[in-house]
Amino acid sequence: MNLTFKFDDDFTVNRLGFGTMQLPGTGVWGPADDEKNAVDVITTAVDHGVNFIDTADSYGPLYANLYLRKALEQRPDNHVLVATKVGFTRQGPSEWTELGNPAYLRQQVEENLFSLGLDHIDLLQLHRIDANFSLEDQIGELAKMQQEGKIKHIGLSQVSIYQLKSAQKIAPIVSVQNRYNLVDRADEDVLNYAEENNIAFIPWFPLATGKLTSGSKMTQIAKKYNATPAQIALAWLLKRAEVILPIPGTSSVDHVISNIAAQNITLSDADFETLSKMSTK
Ligand SMILES: NC(=O)c1ccc[n+]([C@@H]2O[C@H](COP(=O)([O-])OP(=O)(O)OC[C@H]3O[C@@H](n4cnc5c(N)ncnc54)[C@H](OP(=O)(O)O)[C@@H]3O)[C@@H](O)[C@H]2O)c1
């Protein structure tokens, strides 16, 4: 099994990455209760080989980007691909609104550059497509910023195959970030399309927001591998397709170390099949 994915000649990343959404405070909103811990979680991930980190200006908002910037400043020699997002605004812990006005997407790219302390974004993902604006206008604005050198690659999030194919007619799309995990495989068709076209598939909620960290069947299989259920859920994703780049989120240094160690587990075909039958969608 190949545990790396090549984005371009500069970036071949380790497939097991990290997502920053859990780092802000209670209800993943506002500043972290312990900022040092938030930064430590990221430096620990990097120290254990993570070089693919997913974030968004809406995480916090902005706090997650600031912790990521601080952490990467502490690891100046590590080459980390930062994937961020625009097009989804946030008004509270669970209140999200799509906003694909091209003028605002441009401002959000600038805000991501500023908060992350970068001169370009390696992977800029459109967090959601906004039905109030044409896809040509939304992807078109990002493509303009790509030509200006502010964005290296463009990705999408939570899209259908139809939307993905439509976007591909406007600009090259290197990644898709959809909700997907062992028990929630509604977007199997999008994953299959990504696999056929060598597009990175970045499953969000890889641990089903923590639900896959327990459970009797998971625990039973995990025991065989001297592993935790969370590690088994991640090992399943890694085996499912070589274009999958899981980005488990955690605010715990112990959990980040344990999650990264999941890449050392090779599930048998029989256990993979047993786990595959656990899907509820
Ligand atoms: N594109 C999108 O629309 C979208 C939407 C949601 C998320 N995302 C991205 O996807 C990433 C992953 O999603 P997520 O963080 O929401 O969900 P997740 O990775 O499925 O699960 C995170 C939850 O699992 C717990 N957890 C993590 N590792 C654990 C372990 N080893 N043992 C026990 N519990 C563990 C965390 O709690 P602790 O903090 O206690 O470890 C947290 O409650 C996000 O960070 C974000 O970058 C994208």
Side-chain angles (χ1 to χ4, degrees):
M1 181 167 57
N2 187 356
L3 288 171
T4 63
F5 181 86
K6 184 174 177 174
F7 275 96
D8 56 37
D9 288 342
D10 290 336
F11 263 117
T12 295
V13 299
N14 295 321
R15 287 173 52 208
L16 193 53
F18 173 74
T20 64
M21 195 170 113
Q22 302 295 331
L23 296 177
T26 313
V28 290
W29 177 257
D33 306 329
D34 179 350
E35 178 180 315
K36 184 182 176 304
N37 173 71
V39 174
D40 285 351
V41 170
I42 305 170
T43 52
T44 303
V46 171
D47 292 345
H48 285 75
V50 166
N51 60 359
F52 176 69
I53 299 186
D54 179 74
T55 189
D57 64 349
S58 49
Y59 295 166
L62 282 178
Y63 286 107
N65 277 6
L66 297 178
Y67 304 144
L68 181 52
R69 176 185 185 151
K70 272 198 181 171
L72 296 183
E73 279 170 359
Q74 290 177 22
R75 296 293 182 274
D77 297 332
N78 289 74
H79 198 37
V80 174
L81 190 156
V82 173
T84 190
K85 312 187 201 76
V86 295
F88 215 13
T89 61
R90 201 158 171 206
Q91 296 74 47
S94 326
E95 294 154 55
W96 299 82
T97 310
E98 293 115 19
L99 185 46
N101 184 326
Y104 189 64
L105 295 181
R106 176 169 284 271
Q107 178 175 317
Q108 267 187 301
V109 170
E110 295 292 352
E111 284 166 357
N112 272 289
L113 286 168
F114 179 72
S115 53
L116 290 164
L118 298 171
D119 61 9
H120 74 277
I121 306 283
D122 289 319
L123 174 56
L124 195 285
Q125 305 156 98
L126 185 60
H127 213 153
R128 289 292 183 277
I129 293 172
D130 182 350
N132 295 309
F133 295 88
S134 75
L135 191 62
E136 284 75 14
D137 282 351
Q138 292 169 79
I139 302 289
E141 192 65 25
L142 302 183
K144 268 189 225 158
M145 297 194 85
Q146 190 173 36
Q147 281 154 20
E148 293 162 20
K150 297 192 176 198
I151 294 172
K152 191 163 186 195
H153 297 295
I154 299 172
L156 300 172
S157 172
Q158 214 46 42
V159 289
S160 64
I161 294 184
Y162 176 76
Q163 289 170 319
L164 172 52
K165 285 184 178 172
S166 304
Q168 283 181 305
K169 290 181 188 147
I170 306 165
I173 303 297
V174 305
S175 69
V176 173
Q177 183 171 145
N178 278 17
R179 196 182 64 210
Y180 184 85
N181 58 55
L182 180 50
V183 292
D184 180 356
R185 290 157 60 195
D187 282 346
E188 201 77 47
D189 60 338
V190 182
L191 167 58
N192 289 335
Y193 180 83
E195 199 175 6
E196 285 156 20
N197 292 279
N198 198 37
I199 293 171
F201 185 92
I202 306 163
W204 59 267
F205 283 178
L207 299 173
T209 56
K211 290 189 199 84
L212 284 171
T213 58
S214 58
S216 58
K217 189 171 271 177
M218 296 293 288
T219 307
Q220 202 184 335
I221 293 182
K223 263 191 196 156
K224 277 172 60 175
Y225 293 87
N226 199 16
T228 66
Q231 288 176 322
I232 296 298
L234 295 171
W236 183 87
L237 284 170
L238 290 172
K239 189 172 166 81
R240 169 63 186 82
E242 291 193 347
V243 293
I244 289 189
L245 277 57
I247 45 165
T250 178
S251 55
S252 149
V253 167
D254 288 346
H255 287 170
V256 84
I257 294 171
S258 159
N259 291 346
I260 296 163
Q263 64 193 340
N264 303 323
I265 298 168
T266 307
L267 293 172
S268 70
D269 291 345
D271 287 331
F272 177 82
E273 292 308 326
T274 304
L275 289 161
S276 300
K277 290 184 188 131
M278 286 176 64
S279 177
T280 51
K281 286 181 194 169

